[in-house]
Amino acid sequence: MAKSEVQRCMDWLFQTQTEMESASFGKGRLSVLETLARQQAKVKDIINFRDKVDSALKSENVDDKSARELDGNYNSVKALSEKRSSCLEVISQIAALEDLVQNISTEFDSRAVHLVNTSDVTQQKGGPTQSNESLARTAQNCISSVRQNWRWIFQVMQCAEVHLRNAAGYQEYFQEIEEAEYWMNTTVSRIHLSFDRSKLLGNRSDAEAILEEIRDVLAAYLQWQTKVDYLFDKAKQVVPVPLRLKPLNDPKPVIALTDYISDTVDFIEGETLILLDNSDKKKWKVKTEKGQVGFVPAVILLIPAPCAEAIDAAIRLRLQLLSLWTASVKRLGYQMIAFMLLVFRDWTEEEVSLLQAMAAVDKAELLRILQYIEDTLIENWNGYGDFQELQERITRLKMILEEANELNANTESGGNNNLSTSVVVQIKLLENLLNKYKDFWTFWETFKCIVEMLKNPKFLLVCDKWEQLRFVTSAHFVKFWDTQLDLNSYELTKSQASLMLQETAKEELISSEVTIEEEKQELTTDTVSTSLEEEQHTFIITGVLDPRDNSTKLSLQEAISLGIVNESTKRYINPITGKSMSMTDAMNEGRVIMEFVSKRKIREEKNSYGLITIKITKESRPYTITSVVDPRTEEKLTVSQAVNNNILDTNNSTYKTESGENIPIADAIQSGLVHVTYHEGDEQHHKPEVITKTYAVHGVVDQKQKSKVSFADAIKAGLLSRDSGEYINNVTGEHIGVHDAIMKGFIKARVVTDPTKLEINPENQIVVEKLSSAKSKLLRGMKAIKAFKQLGIQK
């Protein structure tokens, strides 16, 4: 029973809503009044129907969903009814003007009939001695004057029609502005609601959904931009109707709608006059171009467009759209970067190996896209926390791919695998996503430039920081001119630095003649601390310089009373010349004297980050391997013998020690295990190539605490070795090189594009030759083996 009653209520509400949506508002006074009466009755029915809705909800145990649906439909119908009633009230007032037009039309008829019935012109024939010629001439002049006055009334009615059209246009425009403003803020504001990160999975569906959303949102904003631009252009044609009803403070130009001749003034249609006084609504005092001054009928004068209120409304609408559009640009950017963070995740060692094994063509394409993403976003998103995290992850992926290029430079790699295929597809989707977002940004920026071209608007879009974006009136904003000044101060400090030298080698074996390529890595670490303090300074105005003599010092109240300082316009004015300037300019010129009152620190930010500079020196010199030392017998072998005994690996360019460890051939050469002869004269032709990369480290992972600590704290806690620059896992004790630590996400770093701007004291740098220590270690191992053999001790 309850469900049936609820359903009957729903049916009645749907029927009522359909009737109101399709019902006409009426045309003409009688039709509008009848429609208004029906609507008022409908409003009473809807109000009384609330009792039936409540009764249906209470009669039986109705589920929450049905209750919310019924209540929502009732509120929707009630809101529609209220909107329709409000519109009909406005329309009825417009339709009521029909009575005025009807009255004046009836007055025309009555006046004409009255003049005909009561006229005694034909009865006045004059005396018998009066000349008929004189009477005839007078009669002809009378007829001509009657015709001219009826034509004048006709011209006055045409002038009134102009004012009628202008009044209609004025009311229609602001009605349209009001509706556009409401619906724009109601519908578009829903577009840029905050997104839910937890719903992002980082897959293809997410990318396609974001792409579709950007397209839909852009279409909505372009549609509203068209509407707002139309209203802005229309605002230029709106006549300032209110100025006809209120007394003017200053003379204003007006345009004559018809010719006019009187004893004091005469002008022609289209002539520009100066309106001096409009206190009398029927006759206005004007001054003609010839200097004549007199009173003329107000109906024949037009105060031309534009209307300041209409322009302000259009500007306000544009700024509101810009504000909403800006929020959507930000929100879509946040969402896109959050999605990219899921794609560029922290890779496991197995995933790193699979990524490094992808085809060289795919690696090159991915590196191109990665660079494109970073270059595109950094211009506008630099400093945003999630983008900084994205930069770090992009840097790690670049290092993985670049490291793979170096490891596989002399080997054929690039077998496809599921992970590499998935990553290639995902990152190519990111390029499409970024291009679509760039288009969205371009349209927004174009509209923003159009809005910014408007000079001195009544409304300002204040955006000191993106998160502080707000829409305020200029009256609210200018109140700060005489209260406070914001000053920023920056402080830069530095601490100790260290330097590490590493060396790796690559070579390609072709028989016994090869070219050796040595890479030396110098690692520099330095700590930079920044401190940002924002202080609020308060000043008071102690005096104002009198512009009439530029010497007398007046109090602020005296300056205001003398008209030197205008409180409403915030201007400094010379009463004699009338010249004025803003109070800010007057302060800068010393005409407004200020005294410092107090200083208060309102914000303080401190940040510490480390700098790691890796200097890679690549050196290639051709050489020929003459012999290879057998690590077990210390006998010299040929290249072929060493390859057959698995001592030399020609594919991976490694040498196998007695313990089974594979070391680069360059290390074996340096340790005396591989003997070579360098080609003469090639040293000058193979100059070393130096590549330097600087990373800004703002965090290091503490494995024990499972948290991220600053660079300085990592040094203190022993997570970073100042001597070697290695990352130390404080749970397992494992030492990891800087490159690997950044790739694995243990060191949070991003590339510094211009390290020359950072001042690093050379005294704070320590150089450690890692290759030398590695060589010494190998040599010590070889000497120990020899000593054991000489003593007859078996290992």
Side-chain angles (χ1 to χ4, degrees):
M1 182 65 183
K3 182 177 180 181
S4 176
E5 185 67 23
V6 169
Q7 187 59 48
R8 281 197 292 270
C9 290
M10 294 285 285
D11 292 342
W12 188 88
L13 290 173
F14 284 135
Q15 181 181 356
T16 303
Q17 181 174 346
T18 302
E19 290 175 356
M20 286 192 295
E21 287 177 351
S22 59
S24 170
F25 283 92
K27 182 179 179 181
R29 181 174 176 274
L30 292 177
S31 177
V32 171
L33 289 177
E34 292 173 357
T35 305
L36 181 60
R38 289 194 297 268
Q39 179 60 31
Q40 290 171 345
K42 184 74 70 176
V43 169
K44 292 180 181 179
D45 293 341
I46 293 173
I47 294 175
N48 295 332
F49 193 75
R50 180 74 229 189
D51 295 335
K52 292 185 179 181
V53 172
D54 294 337
S55 176
L57 294 177
K58 294 177 181 178
S59 60
E60 292 291 341
N61 187 17
V62 182
D63 60 277
D64 293 339
K65 181 179 179 181
S66 298
R68 287 195 301 269
E69 185 178 1
L70 178 58
D71 195 60
N73 286 337
Y74 176 81
N75 291 331
S76 177
V77 171
K78 184 179 179 182
L80 176 60
S81 175
E82 291 173 351
K83 178 64 176 177
R84 182 173 170 82
S85 297
S86 176
C87 290
L88 281 170
E89 290 291 344
V90 174
I91 295 172
S92 65
Q93 293 185 50
I94 297 174
L97 294 173
E98 180 182 326
D99 285 343
L100 297 177
V101 177
Q102 185 65 43
N103 290 338
I104 195 171
S105 176
T106 303
E107 180 64 24
F108 291 155
D109 296 339
S110 300
R111 186 65 55 86
V113 172
H114 173 73
L115 290 176
V116 170
N117 292 336
T118 60
S119 177
D120 56 356
V121 173
T122 57
Q123 299 176 4
Q124 297 177 359
K125 303 298 182 178
T129 60
Q130 188 172 0
S131 171
N132 289 334
E133 181 179 353
S134 177
L135 283 174
R137 187 178 300 110
T138 301
Q140 186 64 34
N141 291 337
C142 179
I143 293 173
S144 176
S145 181
V146 167
R147 183 182 296 114
Q148 288 177 358
N149 276 276
W150 276 113
R151 287 180 178 177
W152 171 250
I153 296 300
F154 178 74
Q155 289 177 337
V156 170
M157 284 298 298
Q158 287 184 316
C159 295
E161 183 182 357
V162 172
H163 296 305
L164 174 61
R165 294 182 185 277
N166 291 337
Y170 176 85
Q171 193 276 331
E172 290 172 9
Y173 175 80
F174 280 96
Q175 178 85 11
E176 196 169 3
I177 278 284
E178 184 179 354
E179 295 292 345
E181 187 172 9
Y182 172 78
W183 289 109
M184 184 181 72
N185 285 283
T186 301
T187 58
V188 180
S189 60
R190 300 173 185 171
I191 292 177
H192 60 270
L193 297 177
S194 59
F195 67 98
D196 188 355
R197 287 175 178 267
S198 62
K199 294 182 180 180
L200 291 177
L201 302 176
N203 54 22
R204 185 185 187 92
S205 298
D206 280 346
E208 292 176 349
I210 297 174
L211 279 171
E212 185 67 23
E213 183 180 13
I214 292 177
R215 282 193 289 265
D216 293 343
V217 173
L218 179 59
Y221 278 114
L222 291 178
Q223 182 179 4
W224 275 109
Q225 181 185 359
T226 302
K227 178 68 173 179
V228 169
D229 288 345
Y230 159 76
L231 290 173
F232 185 81
D233 291 337
K234 190 176 180 180
K236 302 173 186 177
Q237 309 302 324
V238 176
V239 172
V241 175
L243 295 182
R244 300 187 64 87
L245 304 177
K246 58 183 180 181
L248 298 179
N249 297 324
D250 301 307
K252 190 171 186 65
V254 292
I255 296 175
L257 294 176
T258 185
D259 298 345
Y260 183 79
I261 300 176
S262 71
D263 296 337
T264 54
V265 295
D266 64 272
F267 48 81
I268 61 174
E269 180 182 349
E271 185 174 335
T272 300
L273 313 173
I274 301 298
L275 176 59
L276 302 177
D277 183 13
N278 68 336
S279 56
D280 188 334
K281 290 181 172 50
K282 293 183 178 180
K283 56 181 180 180
W284 290 354
K285 185 178 182 180
V286 297
K287 181 179 180 180
T288 67
E289 294 179 351
K290 295 180 288 188
Q292 300 170 331
V293 177
F295 287 91
V296 299
V299 70
I300 69 171
L301 299 177
L302 171 67
I303 300 178
C307 174
E309 290 81 4
I311 296 293
D312 284 341
I315 294 174
R316 183 180 70 248
L317 204 61
R318 270 187 166 177
L319 287 172
Q320 288 176 346
L321 178 60
L322 177 59
S323 177
L324 294 169
W325 204 337
T326 302
S328 291
V329 168
K330 291 159 52 180
R331 201 269 299 170
L332 288 172
Y334 296 151
Q335 184 177 8
M336 182 179 62
I337 292 175
F339 172 73
M340 289 183 176
L341 285 174
L342 295 177
V343 176
F344 300 120
R345 59 185 186 276
D346 291 330
W347 311 100
T348 64
E349 293 186 5
E350 181 181 357
E351 289 174 333
V352 170
S353 300
L354 292 174
L355 288 171
Q356 291 179 336
M358 71 170 58
V361 175
D362 290 337
K363 291 177 190 173
E365 178 67 6
L366 290 187
L367 287 171
R368 180 192 67 80
I369 297 175
L370 291 176
Q371 191 63 44
Y372 173 70
I373 291 174
E374 189 172 9
D375 292 343
T376 302
L377 292 177
I378 196 172
E379 180 179 357
N380 300 302
W381 292 92
N382 192 23
Y384 172 53
D386 280 3
F387 175 66
Q388 292 178 342
E389 176 68 21
L390 179 64
Q391 279 186 296
E392 295 169 10
R393 297 189 183 186
I394 289 177
T395 298
R396 291 202 291 272
L397 185 54
K398 281 182 180 180
M399 294 174 69
I400 291 171
L401 298 175
E402 291 170 351
E403 186 77 11
N405 290 336
E406 295 174 358
L407 289 173
N408 302 322
N410 304 316
T411 61
E412 292 185 3
S413 63
N416 291 329
N417 57 75
N418 292 333
L419 176 66
S420 62
T421 302
S422 174
V423 170
V424 170
V425 172
Q426 281 183 314
I427 297 181
K428 286 186 177 180
L429 276 175
L430 293 185
E431 185 177 24
N432 296 334
L433 180 61
L434 188 59
N435 285 332
K436 183 58 66 176
Y437 180 72
K438 281 181 63 179
D439 292 340
F440 188 87
W441 185 287
T442 301
F443 280 107
W444 166 80
E445 192 167 33
T446 302
F447 181 69
K448 180 173 71 75
C449 292
I450 293 173
V451 175
E452 288 175 346
M453 286 192 296
L454 301 175
K455 300 298 184 182
N456 196 24
K458 183 177 180 180
F459 294 89
L460 303 175
L461 183 66
V462 179
C463 185
D464 180 31
K465 293 184 178 179
W466 275 35
E467 61 270 19
Q468 296 176 354
L469 181 68
R470 59 196 185 279
F471 184 71
V472 300
T473 64
S474 56
H476 169 80
F477 184 72
V478 298
K479 71 179 182 181
F480 296 104
W481 66 267
D482 61 346
T483 56
Q484 61 187 30
L485 298 173
D486 292 334
L487 303 175
N488 294 329
S489 61
Y490 297 89
E491 202 174 57
L492 183 66
T493 59
K494 301 196 328 183
S495 62
Q496 294 292 325
S498 62
L499 179 68
M500 182 182 73
L501 174 66
Q502 294 180 341
E503 182 174 300
T504 59
K506 305 292 176 193
E507 63 177 345
E508 180 182 356
L509 296 178
I510 304 176
S511 184
S512 61
E513 295 187 0
V514 298
T515 298
I516 185 172
E517 182 181 278
E518 297 180 356
E519 291 186 358
K520 296 181 180 180
Q521 293 187 1
E522 293 182 0
L523 188 144
T524 304
T525 64
D526 187 29
T527 301
V528 176
S529 298
T530 62
S531 176
L532 171 63
E533 294 182 359
E534 185 174 336
E535 294 179 344
Q536 178 177 295
H537 293 235
T538 304
F539 299 83
I540 62 172
I541 297 177
T542 59
V544 178
L545 200 64
D546 191 332
R548 293 173 295 185
D549 56 13
N550 292 326
S551 61
T552 305
K553 181 179 177 182
L554 306 172
S555 68
L556 179 60
Q557 293 301 325
E558 291 175 337
I560 293 174
S561 63
L562 292 173
I564 296 173
V565 173
N566 189 315
E567 282 186 297
S568 60
T569 61
K570 310 300 182 186
R571 305 286 294 180
Y572 175 86
I573 305 170
N574 188 325
I576 298 177
T577 63
K579 293 183 178 179
S580 67
M581 67 176 68
S582 67
M583 291 298 293
T584 303
D585 292 339
M587 292 175 189
N588 294 333
E589 294 186 9
R591 296 182 176 276
V592 175
I593 304 166
M594 304 180 67
E595 179 180 329
F596 175 77
V597 175
S598 63
K599 176 175 70 175
R600 180 170 63 92
K601 184 185 294 185
I602 59 176
R603 184 167 63 97
E604 182 176 5
E605 293 180 3
K606 291 185 178 180
N607 188 23
S608 175
Y609 63 93
L611 296 177
I612 297 181
T613 301
I614 301 177
K615 185 178 181 182
I616 303 174
T617 304
K618 294 183 178 181
E619 184 177 7
S620 300
R621 284 188 294 166
Y623 64 88
T624 300
I625 298 178
T626 57
S627 61
V628 180
V629 176
D630 190 322
R632 293 182 295 274
T633 64
E634 297 188 25
E635 296 180 357
K636 292 183 178 181
L637 305 176
T638 64
V639 173
S640 299
Q641 291 173 332
V643 172
N644 293 333
N645 293 334
N646 292 327
I647 298 173
L648 275 185
D649 186 341
T650 57
N651 291 327
N652 296 320
S653 303
T654 58
Y655 174 90
K656 182 181 290 185
T657 64
E658 188 176 7
S659 62
E661 180 185 1
N662 290 320
I663 64 173
I665 288 183
D667 288 350
I669 294 173
Q670 294 289 341
S671 303
L673 301 175
V674 175
H675 299 157
V676 299
T677 301
Y678 291 103
H679 297 181
E680 296 181 0
D682 288 326
E683 185 173 357
Q684 297 180 350
H685 295 88
H686 295 81
K687 295 182 179 180
E689 178 185 359
V690 179
I691 301 175
T692 302
K693 286 187 178 180
T694 301
Y695 298 90
V697 179
H698 67 86
V700 179
V701 176
D702 187 328
Q703 302 286 353
K704 187 178 295 183
Q705 301 294 332
K706 298 186 182 301
S707 62
K708 186 173 69 172
V709 299
S710 67
F711 181 84
D713 291 341
I715 294 292
K716 293 177 183 178
L719 299 176
L720 288 179
S721 171
R722 186 178 290 279
D723 295 331
S724 64
E726 293 176 317
Y727 169 81
I728 302 170
N729 188 323
N730 57 359
V731 174
T732 63
E734 179 185 6
H735 287 236
I736 305 174
V738 174
H739 242 93
D740 292 337
I742 294 177
M743 283 193 294
K744 294 178 180 178
F746 299 148
I747 296 178
K748 306 296 183 181
R750 58 182 181 274
V751 176
V752 178
T753 55
D754 190 4
T756 59
K757 295 181 179 179
L758 302 175
E759 298 179 1
I760 301 177
N761 191 342
E763 296 179 357
N764 294 334
Q765 300 177 9
I766 302 174
V767 179
V768 178
E769 295 186 1
K770 187 175 181 181
L771 179 60
S772 299
S773 61
K775 176 180 176 182
S776 300
K777 181 179 178 181
L778 288 171
L779 292 178
R780 286 196 302 269
M782 292 297 297
K783 290 178 181 179
I785 293 173
K786 290 181 180 179
F788 287 141
K789 289 183 178 180
Q790 290 174 357
L791 295 174
I793 300 175
Q794 298 298 324
K795 186 175 179 182

